[in-house]
PDB file of all heavy atoms in Angstrom:
ATOM      1  N   ASN A   1      61.863  97.097 114.201  1.00  0.00           N
ATOM      2  CA  ASN A   1      62.850  96.435 115.043  1.00  0.00           C
ATOM      3  C   ASN A   1      62.255  95.196 115.720  1.00  0.00           C
ATOM      4  O   ASN A   1      61.096  95.213 116.154  1.00  0.00           O
ATOM      5  CB  ASN A   1      63.383  97.388 116.110  1.00  0.00           C
ATOM      6  CG  ASN A   1      64.318  98.438 115.544  1.00  0.00           C
ATOM      7  OD1 ASN A   1      64.952  98.215 114.510  1.00  0.00           O
ATOM      8  ND2 ASN A   1      64.424  99.570 116.218  1.00  0.00           N
ATOM      9  N   VAL A   2      63.061  94.139 115.800  1.00  0.00           N
ATOM     10  CA  VAL A   2      62.665  92.906 116.469  1.00  0.00           C
ATOM     11  C   VAL A   2      63.551  92.741 117.697  1.00  0.00           C
ATOM     12  O   VAL A   2      64.779  92.744 117.587  1.00  0.00           O
ATOM     13  CB  VAL A   2      62.832  91.693 115.530  1.00  0.00           C
ATOM     14  CG1 VAL A   2      62.452  90.411 116.266  1.00  0.00           C
ATOM     15  CG2 VAL A   2      61.992  91.862 114.271  1.00  0.00           C
ATOM     16  N   ALA A   3      62.939  92.595 118.867  1.00  0.00           N
ATOM     17  CA  ALA A   3      63.695  92.443 120.107  1.00  0.00           C
ATOM     18  C   ALA A   3      64.049  90.980 120.313  1.00  0.00           C
ATOM     19  O   ALA A   3      63.168  90.125 120.453  1.00  0.00           O
ATOM     20  CB  ALA A   3      62.877  92.964 121.289  1.00  0.00           C
ATOM     21  N   LEU A   4      65.349  90.680 120.315  1.00  0.00           N
ATOM     22  CA  LEU A   4      65.823  89.321 120.548  1.00  0.00           C
ATOM     23  C   LEU A   4      66.668  89.284 121.815  1.00  0.00           C
ATOM     24  O   LEU A   4      67.345  90.250 122.142  1.00  0.00           O
ATOM     25  CB  LEU A   4      66.677  88.831 119.375  1.00  0.00           C
ATOM     26  CG  LEU A   4      66.045  88.766 117.989  1.00  0.00           C
ATOM     27  CD1 LEU A   4      67.053  88.215 116.986  1.00  0.00           C
ATOM     28  CD2 LEU A   4      64.781  87.918 117.997  1.00  0.00           C
ATOM     29  N   THR A   5      66.620  88.161 122.501  1.00  0.00           N
ATOM     30  CA  THR A   5      67.548  87.953 123.604  1.00  0.00           C
ATOM     31  C   THR A   5      68.929  87.667 123.000  1.00  0.00           C
ATOM     32  O   THR A   5      69.040  87.318 121.821  1.00  0.00           O
ATOM     33  CB  THR A   5      67.128  86.763 124.475  1.00  0.00           C
ATOM     34  OG1 THR A   5      67.253  85.556 123.715  1.00  0.00           O
ATOM     35  CG2 THR A   5      65.692  86.912 124.958  1.00  0.00           C
ATOM     36  N   PRO A   6      69.997  87.802 123.786  1.00  0.00           N
ATOM     37  CA  PRO A   6      71.322  87.490 123.252  1.00  0.00           C
ATOM     38  C   PRO A   6      71.436  86.077 122.695  1.00  0.00           C
ATOM     39  O   PRO A   6      72.089  85.856 121.676  1.00  0.00           O
ATOM     40  CB  PRO A   6      72.243  87.711 124.459  1.00  0.00           C
ATOM     41  CG  PRO A   6      71.550  88.768 125.253  1.00  0.00           C
ATOM     42  CD  PRO A   6      70.082  88.435 125.124  1.00  0.00           C
ATOM     43  N   THR A   7      70.815  85.102 123.348  1.00  0.00           N
ATOM     44  CA  THR A   7      70.882  83.736 122.829  1.00  0.00           C
ATOM     45  C   THR A   7      70.165  83.632 121.498  1.00  0.00           C
ATOM     46  O   THR A   7      70.653  82.983 120.556  1.00  0.00           O
ATOM     47  CB  THR A   7      70.282  82.743 123.838  1.00  0.00           C
ATOM     48  OG1 THR A   7      71.018  82.802 125.054  1.00  0.00           O
ATOM     49  CG2 THR A   7      70.332  81.318 123.295  1.00  0.00           C
ATOM     50  N   GLU A   8      69.008  84.247 121.379  1.00  0.00           N
ATOM     51  CA  GLU A   8      68.287  84.246 120.108  1.00  0.00           C
ATOM     52  C   GLU A   8      69.095  84.943 119.020  1.00  0.00           C
ATOM     53  O   GLU A   8      69.121  84.499 117.859  1.00  0.00           O
ATOM     54  CB  GLU A   8      66.927  84.926 120.278  1.00  0.00           C
ATOM     55  CG  GLU A   8      65.949  84.151 121.136  1.00  0.00           C
ATOM     56  CD  GLU A   8      64.767  84.971 121.601  1.00  0.00           C
ATOM     57  OE1 GLU A   8      64.756  86.209 121.374  1.00  0.00           O
ATOM     58  OE2 GLU A   8      63.855  84.393 122.201  1.00  0.00           O
ATOM     59  N   MET A   9      69.792  86.022 119.393  1.00  0.00           N
ATOM     60  CA  MET A   9      70.597  86.744 118.413  1.00  0.00           C
ATOM     61  C   MET A   9      71.756  85.885 117.947  1.00  0.00           C
ATOM     62  O   MET A   9      72.058  85.832 116.744  1.00  0.00           O
ATOM     63  CB  MET A   9      71.114  88.053 119.025  1.00  0.00           C
ATOM     64  CG  MET A   9      71.832  88.958 118.038  1.00  0.00           C
ATOM     65  SD  MET A   9      70.697  89.664 116.827  1.00  0.00           S
ATOM     66  CE  MET A   9      71.837  90.300 115.595  1.00  0.00           C
ATOM     67  N   ARG A  10      72.404  85.207 118.849  1.00  0.00           N
ATOM     68  CA  ARG A  10      73.516  84.335 118.465  1.00  0.00           C
ATOM     69  C   ARG A  10      73.030  83.214 117.561  1.00  0.00           C
ATOM     70  O   ARG A  10      73.703  82.821 116.606  1.00  0.00           O
ATOM     71  CB  ARG A  10      74.200  83.755 119.712  1.00  0.00           C
ATOM     72  CG  ARG A  10      75.008  84.764 120.507  1.00  0.00           C
ATOM     73  CD  ARG A  10      75.687  84.098 121.683  1.00  0.00           C
ATOM     74  NE  ARG A  10      76.678  83.125 121.240  1.00  0.00           N
ATOM     75  CZ  ARG A  10      77.983  83.381 121.138  1.00  0.00           C
ATOM     76  NH1 ARG A  10      78.444  84.578 121.443  1.00  0.00           N
ATOM     77  NH2 ARG A  10      78.815  82.444 120.744  1.00  0.00           N
ATOM     78  N   LEU A  11      71.858  82.677 117.860  1.00  0.00           N
ATOM     79  CA  LEU A  11      71.292  81.625 117.026  1.00  0.00           C
ATOM     80  C   LEU A  11      71.005  82.146 115.622  1.00  0.00           C
ATOM     81  O   LEU A  11      71.343  81.495 114.619  1.00  0.00           O
ATOM     82  CB  LEU A  11      70.005  81.106 117.679  1.00  0.00           C
ATOM     83  CG  LEU A  11      69.302  79.923 117.023  1.00  0.00           C
ATOM     84  CD1 LEU A  11      70.209  78.700 116.957  1.00  0.00           C
ATOM     85  CD2 LEU A  11      68.017  79.598 117.784  1.00  0.00           C
ATOM     86  N   LEU A  12      70.414  83.336 115.533  1.00  0.00           N
ATOM     87  CA  LEU A  12      70.126  83.918 114.223  1.00  0.00           C
ATOM     88  C   LEU A  12      71.402  84.217 113.451  1.00  0.00           C
ATOM     89  O   LEU A  12      71.460  84.034 112.223  1.00  0.00           O
ATOM     90  CB  LEU A  12      69.296  85.199 114.389  1.00  0.00           C
ATOM     91  CG  LEU A  12      68.918  85.925 113.085  1.00  0.00           C
ATOM     92  CD1 LEU A  12      68.174  84.998 112.135  1.00  0.00           C
ATOM     93  CD2 LEU A  12      68.089  87.162 113.386  1.00  0.00           C
ATOM     94  N   LEU A  13      72.451  84.652 114.140  1.00  0.00           N
ATOM     95  CA  LEU A  13      73.723  84.918 113.466  1.00  0.00           C
ATOM     96  C   LEU A  13      74.303  83.641 112.865  1.00  0.00           C
ATOM     97  O   LEU A  13      74.876  83.674 111.762  1.00  0.00           O
ATOM     98  CB  LEU A  13      74.717  85.555 114.428  1.00  0.00           C
ATOM     99  CG  LEU A  13      74.461  87.012 114.820  1.00  0.00           C
ATOM    100  CD1 LEU A  13      75.447  87.455 115.877  1.00  0.00           C
ATOM    101  CD2 LEU A  13      74.539  87.930 113.603  1.00  0.00           C
ATOM    102  N   GLU A  14      74.166  82.523 113.572  1.00  0.00           N
ATOM    103  CA  GLU A  14      74.647  81.253 113.017  1.00  0.00           C
ATOM    104  C   GLU A  14      73.918  80.923 111.725  1.00  0.00           C
ATOM    105  O   GLU A  14      74.528  80.511 110.732  1.00  0.00           O
ATOM    106  CB  GLU A  14      74.459  80.119 114.033  1.00  0.00           C
ATOM    107  CG  GLU A  14      75.429  80.149 115.196  1.00  0.00           C
ATOM    108  CD  GLU A  14      76.874  80.012 114.753  1.00  0.00           C
ATOM    109  OE1 GLU A  14      77.140  79.197 113.844  1.00  0.00           O
ATOM    110  OE2 GLU A  14      77.726  80.717 115.317  1.00  0.00           O
ATOM    111  N   PHE A  15      72.602  81.100 111.720  1.00  0.00           N
ATOM    112  CA  PHE A  15      71.829  80.845 110.502  1.00  0.00           C
ATOM    113  C   PHE A  15      72.183  81.851 109.404  1.00  0.00           C
ATOM    114  O   PHE A  15      72.323  81.495 108.230  1.00  0.00           O
ATOM    115  CB  PHE A  15      70.333  80.920 110.804  1.00  0.00           C
ATOM    116  CG  PHE A  15      69.792  79.731 111.539  1.00  0.00           C
ATOM    117  CD1 PHE A  15      69.184  79.888 112.773  1.00  0.00           C
ATOM    118  CD2 PHE A  15      69.887  78.454 111.008  1.00  0.00           C
ATOM    119  CE1 PHE A  15      68.678  78.793 113.457  1.00  0.00           C
ATOM    120  CE2 PHE A  15      69.385  77.356 111.687  1.00  0.00           C
ATOM    121  CZ  PHE A  15      68.778  77.523 112.913  1.00  0.00           C
ATOM    122  N   SER A  16      72.338  83.119 109.786  1.00  0.00           N
ATOM    123  CA  SER A  16      72.592  84.169 108.802  1.00  0.00           C
ATOM    124  C   SER A  16      73.942  84.008 108.123  1.00  0.00           C
ATOM    125  O   SER A  16      74.120  84.407 106.974  1.00  0.00           O
ATOM    126  CB  SER A  16      72.518  85.550 109.470  1.00  0.00           C
ATOM    127  OG  SER A  16      71.240  85.780 110.019  1.00  0.00           O
ATOM    128  N   ASN A  17      74.901  83.443 108.849  1.00  0.00           N
ATOM    129  CA  ASN A  17      76.230  83.232 108.280  1.00  0.00           C
ATOM    130  C   ASN A  17      76.276  82.070 107.305  1.00  0.00           C
ATOM    131  O   ASN A  17      77.261  81.905 106.580  1.00  0.00           O
ATOM    132  CB  ASN A  17      77.255  83.005 109.403  1.00  0.00           C
ATOM    133  CG  ASN A  17      77.562  84.276 110.164  1.00  0.00           C
ATOM    134  OD1 ASN A  17      77.472  85.376 109.627  1.00  0.00           O
ATOM    135  ND2 ASN A  17      77.923  84.139 111.432  1.00  0.00           N
ATOM    136  N   ALA A  18      75.208  81.263 107.293  1.00  0.00           N
ATOM    137  CA  ALA A  18      75.190  80.109 106.382  1.00  0.00           C
ATOM    138  C   ALA A  18      73.781  79.889 105.841  1.00  0.00           C
ATOM    139  O   ALA A  18      73.175  78.836 106.046  1.00  0.00           O
ATOM    140  CB  ALA A  18      75.688  78.866 107.106  1.00  0.00           C
ATOM    141  N   PRO A  19      73.214  80.884 105.149  1.00  0.00           N
ATOM    142  CA  PRO A  19      71.846  80.732 104.633  1.00  0.00           C
ATOM    143  C   PRO A  19      71.753  79.574 103.650  1.00  0.00           C
ATOM    144  O   PRO A  19      72.644  79.357 102.837  1.00  0.00           O
ATOM    145  CB  PRO A  19      71.585  82.075 103.948  1.00  0.00           C
ATOM    146  CG  PRO A  19      72.942  82.616 103.617  1.00  0.00           C
ATOM    147  CD  PRO A  19      73.834  82.150 104.727  1.00  0.00           C
ATOM    148  N   GLY A  20      70.683  78.812 103.792  1.00  0.00           N
ATOM    149  CA  GLY A  20      70.481  77.676 102.905  1.00  0.00           C
ATOM    150  C   GLY A  20      71.229  76.434 103.325  1.00  0.00           C
ATOM    151  O   GLY A  20      71.031  75.359 102.743  1.00  0.00           O
ATOM    152  N   THR A  21      72.095  76.532 104.319  1.00  0.00           N
ATOM    153  CA  THR A  21      72.872  75.391 104.807  1.00  0.00           C
ATOM    154  C   THR A  21      72.170  74.769 106.009  1.00  0.00           C
ATOM    155  O   THR A  21      71.753  75.481 106.928  1.00  0.00           O
ATOM    156  CB  THR A  21      74.287  75.829 105.220  1.00  0.00           C
ATOM    157  OG1 THR A  21      74.958  76.392 104.082  1.00  0.00           O
ATOM    158  CG2 THR A  21      75.087  74.657 105.741  1.00  0.00           C
ATOM    159  N   VAL A  22      72.039  73.455 106.000  1.00  0.00           N
ATOM    160  CA  VAL A  22      71.414  72.774 107.129  1.00  0.00           C
ATOM    161  C   VAL A  22      72.393  72.723 108.294  1.00  0.00           C
ATOM    162  O   VAL A  22      73.523  72.246 108.154  1.00  0.00           O
ATOM    163  CB  VAL A  22      70.996  71.340 106.741  1.00  0.00           C
ATOM    164  CG1 VAL A  22      70.384  70.630 107.953  1.00  0.00           C
ATOM    165  CG2 VAL A  22      69.999  71.372 105.594  1.00  0.00           C
ATOM    166  N   LEU A  23      71.965  73.237 109.439  1.00  0.00           N
ATOM    167  CA  LEU A  23      72.779  73.231 110.656  1.00  0.00           C
ATOM    168  C   LEU A  23      72.183  72.223 111.627  1.00  0.00           C
ATOM    169  O   LEU A  23      71.009  72.322 111.988  1.00  0.00           O
ATOM    170  CB  LEU A  23      72.809  74.623 111.289  1.00  0.00           C
ATOM    171  CG  LEU A  23      73.286  75.768 110.386  1.00  0.00           C
ATOM    172  CD1 LEU A  23      73.305  77.078 111.167  1.00  0.00           C
ATOM    173  CD2 LEU A  23      74.663  75.477 109.818  1.00  0.00           C
ATOM    174  N   SER A  24      72.984  71.277 112.031  1.00  0.00           N
ATOM    175  CA  SER A  24      72.499  70.251 112.952  1.00  0.00           C
ATOM    176  C   SER A  24      72.305  70.829 114.349  1.00  0.00           C
ATOM    177  O   SER A  24      72.901  71.844 114.719  1.00  0.00           O
ATOM    178  CB  SER A  24      73.490  69.082 113.020  1.00  0.00           C
ATOM    179  OG  SER A  24      74.680  69.488 113.673  1.00  0.00           O
ATOM    180  N   ARG A  25      71.486  70.157 115.133  1.00  0.00           N
ATOM    181  CA  ARG A  25      71.278  70.584 116.513  1.00  0.00           C
ATOM    182  C   ARG A  25      72.583  70.518 117.305  1.00  0.00           C
ATOM    183  O   ARG A  25      72.854  71.385 118.140  1.00  0.00           O
ATOM    184  CB  ARG A  25      70.203  69.726 117.173  1.00  0.00           C
ATOM    185  CG  ARG A  25      68.810  69.946 116.592  1.00  0.00           C
ATOM    186  CD  ARG A  25      67.834  68.903 117.120  1.00  0.00           C
ATOM    187  NE  ARG A  25      66.470  69.172 116.667  1.00  0.00           N
ATOM    188  CZ  ARG A  25      65.999  68.791 115.482  1.00  0.00           C
ATOM    189  NH1 ARG A  25      66.787  68.143 114.627  1.00  0.00           N
ATOM    190  NH2 ARG A  25      64.745  69.056 115.151  1.00  0.00           N
ATOM    191  N   ASP A  26      73.393  69.475 117.059  1.00  0.00           N
ATOM    192  CA  ASP A  26      74.662  69.365 117.768  1.00  0.00           C
ATOM    193  C   ASP A  26      75.590  70.525 117.437  1.00  0.00           C
ATOM    194  O   ASP A  26      76.277  71.058 118.317  1.00  0.00           O
ATOM    195  CB  ASP A  26      75.352  68.045 117.416  1.00  0.00           C
ATOM    196  CG  ASP A  26      74.676  66.851 118.062  1.00  0.00           C
ATOM    197  OD1 ASP A  26      73.938  67.055 119.047  1.00  0.00           O
ATOM    198  OD2 ASP A  26      74.875  65.722 117.584  1.00  0.00           O
ATOM    199  N   ARG A  27      75.616  70.937 116.165  1.00  0.00           N
ATOM    200  CA  ARG A  27      76.469  72.071 115.798  1.00  0.00           C
ATOM    201  C   ARG A  27      75.980  73.342 116.474  1.00  0.00           C
ATOM    202  O   ARG A  27      76.785  74.139 116.976  1.00  0.00           O
ATOM    203  CB  ARG A  27      76.473  72.263 114.280  1.00  0.00           C
ATOM    204  CG  ARG A  27      77.208  73.532 113.845  1.00  0.00           C
ATOM    205  CD  ARG A  27      77.294  73.680 112.358  1.00  0.00           C
ATOM    206  NE  ARG A  27      77.782  75.005 111.976  1.00  0.00           N
ATOM    207  CZ  ARG A  27      78.020  75.382 110.730  1.00  0.00           C
ATOM    208  NH1 ARG A  27      77.834  74.536 109.730  1.00  0.00           N
ATOM    209  NH2 ARG A  27      78.447  76.598 110.466  1.00  0.00           N
ATOM    210  N   LEU A  28      74.660  73.534 116.514  1.00  0.00           N
ATOM    211  CA  LEU A  28      74.127  74.733 117.156  1.00  0.00           C
ATOM    212  C   LEU A  28      74.393  74.721 118.656  1.00  0.00           C
ATOM    213  O   LEU A  28      74.692  75.761 119.248  1.00  0.00           O
ATOM    214  CB  LEU A  28      72.629  74.856 116.866  1.00  0.00           C
ATOM    215  CG  LEU A  28      72.288  75.152 115.394  1.00  0.00           C
ATOM    216  CD1 LEU A  28      70.788  75.009 115.160  1.00  0.00           C
ATOM    217  CD2 LEU A  28      72.766  76.545 114.995  1.00  0.00           C
ATOM    218  N   LEU A  29      74.293  73.546 119.285  1.00  0.00           N
ATOM    219  CA  LEU A  29      74.625  73.449 120.704  1.00  0.00           C
ATOM    220  C   LEU A  29      76.070  73.844 120.950  1.00  0.00           C
ATOM    221  O   LEU A  29      76.394  74.529 121.917  1.00  0.00           O
ATOM    222  CB  LEU A  29      74.393  72.016 121.204  1.00  0.00           C
ATOM    223  CG  LEU A  29      72.960  71.636 121.566  1.00  0.00           C
ATOM    224  CD1 LEU A  29      72.866  70.138 121.813  1.00  0.00           C
ATOM    225  CD2 LEU A  29      72.460  72.408 122.775  1.00  0.00           C
ATOM    226  N   GLU A  30      76.954  73.418 120.063  1.00  0.00           N
ATOM    227  CA  GLU A  30      78.375  73.731 120.225  1.00  0.00           C
ATOM    228  C   GLU A  30      78.660  75.200 119.975  1.00  0.00           C
ATOM    229  O   GLU A  30      79.399  75.843 120.738  1.00  0.00           O
ATOM    230  CB  GLU A  30      79.200  72.883 119.259  1.00  0.00           C
ATOM    231  CG  GLU A  30      80.697  73.143 119.352  1.00  0.00           C
ATOM    232  CD  GLU A  30      81.492  72.276 118.400  1.00  0.00           C
ATOM    233  OE1 GLU A  30      80.892  71.417 117.725  1.00  0.00           O
ATOM    234  OE2 GLU A  30      82.723  72.461 118.332  1.00  0.00           O
ATOM    235  N   ARG A  31      78.058  75.765 118.928  1.00  0.00           N
ATOM    236  CA  ARG A  31      78.386  77.130 118.535  1.00  0.00           C
ATOM    237  C   ARG A  31      77.657  78.182 119.358  1.00  0.00           C
ATOM    238  O   ARG A  31      78.217  79.241 119.665  1.00  0.00           O
ATOM    239  CB  ARG A  31      78.067  77.328 117.042  1.00  0.00           C
ATOM    240  CG  ARG A  31      78.895  76.457 116.116  1.00  0.00           C
ATOM    241  CD  ARG A  31      80.355  76.850 116.134  1.00  0.00           C
ATOM    242  NE  ARG A  31      80.548  78.211 115.676  1.00  0.00           N
ATOM    243  CZ  ARG A  31      80.724  78.549 114.401  1.00  0.00           C
ATOM    244  NH1 ARG A  31      80.749  77.610 113.477  1.00  0.00           N
ATOM    245  NH2 ARG A  31      80.889  79.812 114.053  1.00  0.00           N
ATOM    246  N   VAL A  32      76.410  77.918 119.710  1.00  0.00           N
ATOM    247  CA  VAL A  32      75.602  78.912 120.420  1.00  0.00           C
ATOM    248  C   VAL A  32      75.651  78.702 121.929  1.00  0.00           C
ATOM    249  O   VAL A  32      75.784  79.656 122.690  1.00  0.00           O
ATOM    250  CB  VAL A  32      74.140  78.884 119.923  1.00  0.00           C
ATOM    251  CG1 VAL A  32      73.282  79.880 120.708  1.00  0.00           C
ATOM    252  CG2 VAL A  32      74.074  79.188 118.428  1.00  0.00           C
ATOM    253  N   TRP A  33      75.579  77.439 122.365  1.00  0.00           N
ATOM    254  CA  TRP A  33      75.522  77.153 123.810  1.00  0.00           C
ATOM    255  C   TRP A  33      76.865  76.726 124.380  1.00  0.00           C
ATOM    256  O   TRP A  33      76.964  76.473 125.569  1.00  0.00           O
ATOM    257  CB  TRP A  33      74.454  76.094 124.098  1.00  0.00           C
ATOM    258  CG  TRP A  33      73.078  76.665 124.112  1.00  0.00           C
ATOM    259  CD1 TRP A  33      72.395  77.135 125.194  1.00  0.00           C
ATOM    260  CD2 TRP A  33      72.203  76.840 122.985  1.00  0.00           C
ATOM    261  NE1 TRP A  33      71.164  77.593 124.819  1.00  0.00           N
ATOM    262  CE2 TRP A  33      71.013  77.428 123.460  1.00  0.00           C
ATOM    263  CE3 TRP A  33      72.311  76.568 121.626  1.00  0.00           C
ATOM    264  CZ2 TRP A  33      69.941  77.731 122.634  1.00  0.00           C
ATOM    265  CZ3 TRP A  33      71.250  76.877 120.786  1.00  0.00           C
ATOM    266  CH2 TRP A  33      70.084  77.451 121.290  1.00  0.00           C
ATOM    267  N   ASP A  34      77.879  76.597 123.541  1.00  0.00           N
ATOM    268  CA  ASP A  34      79.217  76.243 124.006  1.00  0.00           C
ATOM    269  C   ASP A  34      79.244  74.844 124.608  1.00  0.00           C
ATOM    270  O   ASP A  34      79.954  74.572 125.570  1.00  0.00           O
ATOM    271  CB  ASP A  34      79.718  77.278 125.018  1.00  0.00           C
ATOM    272  CG  ASP A  34      81.226  77.232 125.217  1.00  0.00           C
ATOM    273  OD1 ASP A  34      81.910  76.654 124.354  1.00  0.00           O
ATOM    274  OD2 ASP A  34      81.723  77.752 126.231  1.00  0.00           O
ATOM    275  N   TYR A  35      78.448  73.938 124.065  1.00  0.00           N
ATOM    276  CA  TYR A  35      78.406  72.554 124.523  1.00  0.00           C
ATOM    277  C   TYR A  35      79.246  71.694 123.593  1.00  0.00           C
ATOM    278  O   TYR A  35      78.739  71.047 122.679  1.00  0.00           O
ATOM    279  CB  TYR A  35      76.981  72.006 124.518  1.00  0.00           C
ATOM    280  CG  TYR A  35      76.079  72.535 125.593  1.00  0.00           C
ATOM    281  CD1 TYR A  35      74.743  72.170 125.636  1.00  0.00           C
ATOM    282  CD2 TYR A  35      76.551  73.405 126.566  1.00  0.00           C
ATOM    283  CE1 TYR A  35      73.897  72.647 126.619  1.00  0.00           C
ATOM    284  CE2 TYR A  35      75.714  73.887 127.555  1.00  0.00           C
ATOM    285  CZ  TYR A  35      74.389  73.507 127.573  1.00  0.00           C
ATOM    286  OH  TYR A  35      73.552  73.979 128.538  1.00  0.00           O
ATOM    287  N   GLY A  36      80.548  71.660 123.806  1.00  0.00           N
ATOM    288  CA  GLY A  36      81.394  70.833 122.979  1.00  0.00           C
ATOM    289  C   GLY A  36      81.132  69.352 123.173  1.00  0.00           C
ATOM    290  O   GLY A  36      81.409  68.533 122.305  1.00  0.00           O
ATOM    291  N   TRP A  37      80.549  69.004 124.327  1.00  0.00           N
ATOM    292  CA  TRP A  37      80.277  67.598 124.641  1.00  0.00           C
ATOM    293  C   TRP A  37      78.885  67.160 124.230  1.00  0.00           C
ATOM    294  O   TRP A  37      78.501  66.025 124.418  1.00  0.00           O
ATOM    295  CB  TRP A  37      80.420  67.381 126.148  1.00  0.00           C
ATOM    296  CG  TRP A  37      79.717  68.434 126.948  1.00  0.00           C
ATOM    297  CD1 TRP A  37      80.246  69.596 127.411  1.00  0.00           C
ATOM    298  CD2 TRP A  37      78.356  68.437 127.361  1.00  0.00           C
ATOM    299  NE1 TRP A  37      79.299  70.326 128.085  1.00  0.00           N
ATOM    300  CE2 TRP A  37      78.132  69.627 128.071  1.00  0.00           C
ATOM    301  CE3 TRP A  37      77.301  67.547 127.189  1.00  0.00           C
ATOM    302  CZ2 TRP A  37      76.894  69.954 128.607  1.00  0.00           C
ATOM    303  CZ3 TRP A  37      76.070  67.877 127.727  1.00  0.00           C
ATOM    304  CH2 TRP A  37      75.879  69.073 128.435  1.00  0.00           C
ATOM    305  N   GLY A  38      78.116  68.047 123.641  1.00  0.00           N
ATOM    306  CA  GLY A  38      76.727  67.731 123.323  1.00  0.00           C
ATOM    307  C   GLY A  38      75.830  68.125 124.472  1.00  0.00           C
ATOM    308  O   GLY A  38      76.275  68.483 125.552  1.00  0.00           O
ATOM    309  N   GLY A  39      74.531  68.052 124.267  1.00  0.00           N
ATOM    310  CA  GLY A  39      73.597  68.447 125.310  1.00  0.00           C
ATOM    311  C   GLY A  39      72.177  68.131 124.881  1.00  0.00           C
ATOM    312  O   GLY A  39      71.941  67.439 123.894  1.00  0.00           O
TER     313      GLY A  39
END
């Protein structure tokens, strides 16, 4: 078992849902951190 924080888990889920697909930092900010305006 690997202990992840909720934010780390959400980040891994984003990657796991699109393996092999390049995810931009802006997309990850929007999907994981809820920053629709960027950050």
Side-chain angles (χ1 to χ4, degrees):
N1 287 334
V2 178
L4 300 182
T5 67
T7 300
E8 291 165 353
M9 187 69 194
R10 289 182 65 97
L11 185 59
L12 180 56
L13 287 174
E14 287 299 319
F15 285 121
S16 299
N17 288 332
T21 300
V22 178
L23 304 182
S24 69
R25 292 170 175 84
D26 287 340
R27 173 176 170 176
L28 292 170
L29 278 170
E30 180 179 356
R31 297 293 298 272
V32 178
W33 281 268
D34 198 18
Y35 287 176
W37 47 268

